[in-house]
Amino acid sequence: MSTAMDQKPGAVASPIEPLPDASKHLSTPAPYSLSQRTNSLGSELSAPDLPPKIQVIKSEDYTRMPWKNGVGETIEIAIHPSNRNFRKDAFIWRLSLSEVRDSCSFSLFPGYDIWLFMLPESAASVPLRGNLSAPAFLHHNDHVTPIAIKPLVPYTYRGEWPTTCTMNVSPLKHLTFIANRRLAKVSMSLETICENAIGDDGVCDTDASEIDDVALGVADDTSQPTEPTAQLEANAADPKATTDHATKQSLSSSSSYSKLLLGNFTILYVVSGSIRVTVEGDSQPRIVHQGQTLLCERDDECAPTDLKMTPIIHAQHAASANSTKSAVQREGLCIDGSSIATSTKADGELKANHDATVLIIHVHLVPTDRQGSYILDSPTTNPTPAQAPGTALPPMPAAVASVTQSQTASQPQSSVAQHPQRLRGRAGSIIVYDDQPMWTLPKEMERQMTLSDVGSPPLGPNLTTKYWESAHHYRPPLFSSRYQNESEVPPPIVRDSLVIEEFPQGKISTAWINMVKQGLSEWIRVPVIIARGTEPGPVVGITAVVHGNELNGVPCIHRVITDIDVRKLKGTVVAVPCVNVPGYLRFTREFSDGRDLNRLFPGQEHGTASQVYNHNLVVKIINHFNYLIDLHTASFGRVNSYYVRADMNDPVSAMLAKLQQPQIILHNSGQDGTLRSAASARGVKSITVEIGNPQLLQNQFVQWSYLGVMRILAYLNMFTAEEEEPTTPQPNTILCSKGFWIYTNTGGVLEVYPAVNSIIRKGDLIARIKNIFGNIVDEIYAPSHGVTIGRSSNPVAMAGDRVMHMGVIKKENEVLPKEAKENY
């Protein structure tokens, strides 16, 4: 097996000999400055990505390694670097399949981590009743307490631990993945690829008779899935059948499993079933059957890559099942041609063969020059990493060394003696000094506090009346400004639905629109502002607070309504300053039932409380819009740049996004349950504007978004503000072809280093996680080049919490994908 269980049972293990250091076999680039990194990034972003290297490894191509003691056999599937002997040569990772026939000891791999994954056939003869009936147990470091190893549950341990395996079944089959912990970051997950959607219980939904089996495709080892001949003949004879079959195919294709590849290697091992794998940049889909492995190797500088998996039917299963189903159908026909519902064992087996179980392994290689190191322009003014015990720091460049030595020599020695180092307070703090004696202290410690206690020169005896220049002095606004910031809107009326024609032209009106009834049988109402012009024109909708704690959109709407002169307005502006009323009142992101409204649009007429609420919002308000500007901020514990989400393949939406002049535009096609997605599906040209941070009002972000809305109204020839926008240079906007979130692998105190709207290189250290005692337990590196769209601001992190929202910067001449989503 890949843990090298090559020792005979009961044999005395030889002394541990550490494996060769894999890092010595890797080239280490010379360090370079931040300015060099920035200059080189432009050329790297303009260079086209190399296509991924895809290899389907069949079982007959595996390398068999029988154990000398006859207890088992190891089948090596893949190793990197290739053509390495894992017993003699250093390697980064290795995947193998093992068959163990008796209890044994595992070999040691110092410096490596080992993942065990037991295959389901190992437990076929064992009734699992808790840990005591597990197929196998492991004992580490001679500990008495056993660790149960169960099928389909990955288990990880350190290669330095002496480990023995006690078996309850024979033979025992399992996969083993070994990785150098210093050179590779590994994540492993088991995914079920279903013919239909996954049900609420996490199991594949088998009640989907409306989806024809042939829609999944039939595959053999030599060809790609093709449509059966019988179906083609039926389509030719009946045009309606073609439409029906296309509908079934679309239903089936919607069950495909999508994954965003970020690492250097992605390994797919098919535990059961068969799958069709499509990788972005690959010329053709690949068919992988049970027991086979797909290896995807991505270039170190590649952008994140999309991968899709779809379950398929093997040709042998399809042939036998089709013949059985034909016989059943012939026997189940009545005289009048109507069919009788018949269920056979073959039908059940065919449906079971539609689903596939896949083990997915992601490997991120850690560059040797970035393992815990800072790359800085000036080592004399920036921190350097602490030197690890027993290690030597890299030599300092000659030019830097000479400058450092000259600066040290030029410092006057007397200053150190005259001004000893003290613990000082935060710069700019207001310090109020008390001239009363400290009566609670011993007499020898009684003294007045002086400015020398904080290292500042004395400013006089009357310290408490000093005018502190370090503090901001508040100046209240002029009374006249009140009239410039008030919207001057009339009292609202109550309506069941928004009917724009009901409100007078040339006026601003307000209304409460009934949405749903709450527990007291009273209406939850949404506030709406209607600014209807005197001339016909489009309807522009502006929404805010879809998430209850995202508030910057509220003053943005107030400023827009205040500045619009409806007598000069063409068309109508409809503003909804608070969509999620229950969340707004509870200071929470979610709706009253704990669901995220912006993942459930367009909602359902008969569903959960949040689905009904969304349905009524779309039907009663959103359907009346021609354009939509949906205002958001970051959520709790996160901060955002000023950016826009839009489908940049749609020319109108792209223009609306550019008129906002944001820091970043993120291409996102929708189809993700958001309000923007639901509106776009109804022909409403829509964008999402992310303006700042949650549960506070930020004037700068509010001003930026307000100016963006006014530019859109001017572009649509609806309204032009009397005051011209300041003639400042138009800011540069970064266009991202896709975006993704980076998540934590463990919990602790999270430290995220890059600020928002920062350019990041692949492999840069972006975050660390410490335990509560201050020890570093994990380091997170950037998986690709990109820009920081948003980041976590909450230092208390659970495993699986968000770290950073990264955008992949669009390359020159890159074609934006038609379907671009994010891993929310």
Side-chain angles (χ1 to χ4, degrees):
M1 61 178 284
S2 62
T3 50
M5 297 187 295
D6 298 318
Q7 301 180 29
K8 298 180 180 180
V12 179
S14 59
I16 300 174
E17 296 183 1
L19 291 174
D21 190 354
S23 62
K24 296 180 180 179
H25 299 268
L26 301 175
S27 60
T28 303
Y32 50 99
S33 67
L34 181 62
S35 57
Q36 290 174 319
R37 288 151 52 83
T38 306
N39 293 335
S40 62
L41 182 59
S43 58
E44 292 174 4
L45 291 175
S46 60
D49 285 341
L50 295 176
K53 299 178 182 179
I54 310 296
Q55 180 185 5
V56 176
I57 309 174
K58 300 182 179 180
S59 55
E60 54 266 26
D61 298 329
Y62 297 164
T63 302
R64 294 184 175 272
M65 301 177 179
W67 297 359
K68 294 180 181 180
N69 56 17
V71 175
E73 180 184 36
T74 295
I75 303 173
E76 185 174 275
I77 298 176
I79 189 171
H80 180 77
S82 58
N83 300 323
R84 294 291 180 99
N85 185 333
F86 77 97
R87 296 188 182 94
K88 301 178 181 179
D89 304 325
F91 61 94
I92 297 179
W93 60 261
R94 177 177 183 260
L95 175 65
S96 62
L97 173 66
S98 297
E99 180 176 310
V100 188
R101 305 184 188 96
D102 201 354
S103 299
C104 60
S105 297
F106 290 1
S107 297
L108 300 175
F109 285 83
Y112 288 74
D113 289 331
I114 300 174
W115 286 260
L116 296 182
F117 182 81
M118 187 179 298
L119 296 177
E121 54 262 37
S122 300
S125 58
V126 178
L128 296 180
R129 299 186 185 90
N131 291 341
L132 297 179
S133 300
F137 297 94
L138 296 184
H139 294 265
H140 298 303
N141 297 319
D142 295 327
H143 289 178
V144 176
T145 304
I147 298 175
I149 304 299
K150 297 184 178 181
L152 302 181
V153 180
Y155 173 72
T156 309
Y157 69 95
R158 298 175 71 90
E160 297 88 357
W161 295 349
T163 303
T164 58
C165 176
T166 303
M167 300 176 52
N168 289 338
V169 297
S170 180
L172 185 73
K173 292 185 178 181
H174 66 86
L175 294 170
T176 308
F177 190 81
I178 310 177
N180 187 306
R181 73 172 64 95
R182 192 166 59 88
L183 300 179
K185 299 284 187 179
V186 179
S187 62
M188 182 180 296
S189 63
L190 183 69
E191 304 291 348
T192 300
I193 316 301
C194 300
E195 168 195 354
N196 311 304
I198 295 181
D200 295 336
D201 55 356
V203 180
C204 293
D205 187 3
T206 58
D207 187 15
S209 57
E210 70 277 4
I211 302 179
D212 196 350
D213 297 328
V214 297
L216 292 172
V218 179
D220 55 30
D221 293 332
T222 59
S223 63
Q224 300 181 16
T226 56
E227 191 174 38
T229 306
Q231 183 64 48
L232 293 174
E233 294 175 354
N235 291 347
D238 185 4
K240 183 179 183 298
T242 305
T243 304
D244 294 341
H245 186 58
T247 304
K248 296 171 184 176
Q249 282 186 324
S250 65
L251 289 172
S252 174
S253 62
S254 66
S255 64
S256 63
Y257 176 88
S258 299
K259 196 79 174 178
L260 190 65
L261 305 186
L262 303 177
N264 299 84
F265 294 91
T266 299
I267 305 167
L268 308 181
Y269 181 87
V270 180
V271 178
S272 63
S274 300
I275 59 172
R276 178 197 296 113
V277 182
T278 304
V279 181
E280 180 183 1
D282 191 20
S283 58
Q284 60 181 357
R286 309 298 179 111
I287 305 300
V288 189
H289 299 297
Q290 179 175 337
Q292 297 181 356
T293 305
L294 182 139
L295 175 61
C296 175
E297 180 178 358
R298 300 170 62 252
D299 184 73
D300 191 58
E301 305 297 331
C302 275
T305 305
D306 292 321
L307 176 142
K308 291 185 179 180
M309 294 181 287
T310 307
I312 59 175
I313 312 172
H314 197 278
Q316 298 175 353
H317 296 302
S320 60
N322 285 338
S323 61
T324 305
K325 290 181 68 176
S326 299
V328 171
Q329 291 171 356
R330 286 193 300 270
E331 295 175 1
L333 289 177
C334 297
I335 298 177
D336 59 356
S338 61
S339 60
I340 301 176
T342 309
S343 176
T344 66
K345 181 179 179 181
D347 288 326
E349 293 177 351
L350 179 60
K351 287 188 177 294
N353 290 327
H354 290 177
D355 304 329
T357 305
V358 182
L359 179 67
I360 305 176
I361 304 173
H362 297 285
V363 182
H364 300 252
L365 299 185
V366 180
T368 56
D369 64 324
R370 293 175 185 158
Q371 296 173 17
S373 63
Y374 296 100
I375 301 178
L376 301 167
D377 284 328
S378 176
T380 62
T381 59
N382 292 282
T384 57
Q387 182 177 358
T391 61
L393 290 176
M396 185 181 298
V400 177
S402 62
V403 172
T404 305
Q405 293 171 1
S406 63
Q407 290 177 349
T408 305
S410 63
Q411 291 177 353
Q413 299 296 329
S414 60
S415 62
V416 178
Q418 294 176 0
H419 299 283
Q421 292 184 354
R422 301 177 182 269
L423 295 176
R424 297 192 55 184
R426 175 173 55 85
S429 297
I430 299 179
I431 306 174
V432 179
Y433 298 99
D434 191 352
D435 57 356
Q436 288 185 335
M438 301 180 182
W439 300 109
T440 58
L441 295 178
K443 190 173 182 178
E444 60 270 16
M445 298 182 64
E446 256 184 40
R447 58 183 177 85
Q448 291 182 336
M449 186 179 292
T450 63
L451 284 175
S452 61
D453 291 328
V454 291
S456 301
L459 295 175
N462 193 6
L463 300 176
T464 56
T465 59
K466 179 65 182 177
Y467 185 89
W468 294 94
E469 296 180 352
S470 61
H472 295 285
H473 294 268
Y474 173 70
R475 292 179 176 85
L478 299 176
F479 183 78
S480 59
S481 65
R482 174 182 185 274
Y483 302 101
Q484 300 174 4
N485 291 308
E486 188 177 7
S487 299
E488 296 182 353
V489 296
I493 60 175
V494 178
R495 292 291 182 269
D496 288 326
S497 181
L498 175 65
V499 180
I500 296 178
E501 293 74 18
E502 180 183 354
F503 298 95
Q505 292 182 331
K507 290 185 179 181
I508 296 178
S509 306
T510 60
W512 290 105
I513 305 298
N514 293 331
M515 288 289 111
V516 295
K517 284 194 174 183
Q518 34 92 320
L520 295 176
S521 194
E522 296 290 336
W523 284 101
I524 296 178
R525 298 186 174 105
V526 167
V528 179
I529 306 172
I530 305 97
R532 193 177 181 197
T534 56
E535 299 182 34
V539 178
V540 174
I542 311 171
T543 54
V545 197
V546 173
H547 295 130
N549 59 354
E550 300 182 4
L551 307 180
N552 273 333
V554 177
C556 174
I557 288 176
H558 292 169
R559 294 189 187 184
V560 170
I561 296 300
T562 299
D563 282 3
I564 287 180
D565 185 348
V566 289
R567 296 169 298 179
K568 302 178 181 178
L569 177 66
K570 299 178 181 178
T572 304
V573 175
V574 178
V576 185
C578 183
V579 171
N580 184 358
V581 174
Y584 172 82
L585 295 176
R586 297 186 299 127
F587 319 119
T588 60
R589 171 185 177 91
E590 293 80 15
F591 192 68
S592 55
D593 61 354
R595 306 290 294 275
D596 187 337
L597 289 181
N598 213 35
R599 302 294 181 268
L600 299 173
F601 282 102
Q604 297 180 18
E605 184 177 2
H606 304 286
T608 63
S610 50
Q611 290 173 331
V612 174
Y613 191 89
N614 280 359
H615 171 78
N616 290 338
L617 180 73
V618 171
V619 172
K620 295 184 176 184
I621 299 176
I622 304 300
N623 281 345
H624 298 281
F625 298 166
N626 301 119
Y627 303 91
L628 171 64
I629 306 168
D630 191 19
L631 304 177
H632 285 256
T633 73
S635 186
F636 170 77
R638 302 197 290 268
V639 294
N640 269 351
S641 60
Y642 175 47
Y643 77 99
V644 174
R645 280 191 182 96
D647 184 357
M648 298 304 289
N649 286 324
D650 180 80
V652 178
S653 299
M655 180 57 66
L656 298 181
K658 293 176 181 178
L659 288 170
Q660 285 288 326
Q661 295 184 7
Q663 294 169 324
I664 300 169
I665 295 178
L666 176 58
H667 171 57
N668 184 301
S669 58
Q671 303 93 33
D672 49 7
T674 60
L675 176 58
R676 176 177 64 89
S677 173
S680 298
R682 285 159 174 74
V684 181
K685 303 300 181 182
S686 309
I687 62 173
T688 300
V689 184
E690 298 277 356
I691 45 177
N693 308 326
Q695 205 60 48
L696 75 164
L697 304 181
Q698 298 169 287
N699 287 331
Q700 182 62 78
F701 284 91
V702 172
Q703 181 69 9
W704 285 342
S705 57
Y706 153 77
L707 292 174
V709 173
M710 300 307 289
R711 290 190 205 100
I712 290 176
L713 297 180
Y715 177 80
L716 297 175
N717 198 28
M718 295 177 62
F719 179 79
T720 303
E722 295 180 357
E723 296 183 4
E724 296 183 0
E725 189 175 340
T727 57
T728 56
Q730 182 174 344
N732 293 326
T733 297
I734 299 175
L735 175 58
C736 295
S737 57
K738 64 176 67 174
F740 61 94
W741 275 96
I742 301 172
Y743 293 86
T744 59
N745 295 319
T746 186
V749 181
L750 176 64
E751 299 176 354
V752 184
Y753 302 127
V756 296
N757 197 34
S758 298
I759 301 296
I760 297 178
R761 285 176 50 86
K762 182 175 183 178
D764 283 347
L765 177 66
I766 59 175
R768 281 195 177 103
I769 299 178
K770 297 180 180 179
N771 62 22
I772 199 62
F773 303 102
N775 298 323
I776 297 175
V777 296
D778 195 15
E779 292 185 334
I780 303 173
Y781 296 86
S784 70
H785 296 312
V787 61
T788 306
I789 299 175
R791 61 185 290 276
S792 173
S793 62
N794 184 8
V796 182
M798 297 282 289
D801 277 354
R802 304 188 189 202
V803 177
M804 181 177 295
H805 189 193
M806 283 195 65
V808 180
I809 301 175
K810 179 183 178 297
K811 297 179 175 64
E812 186 178 0
N813 299 324
E814 178 184 358
V815 178
L816 294 175
K818 293 183 179 179
E819 184 174 321
K821 301 179 182 179
E822 298 168 72
N823 57 336
Y824 295 121

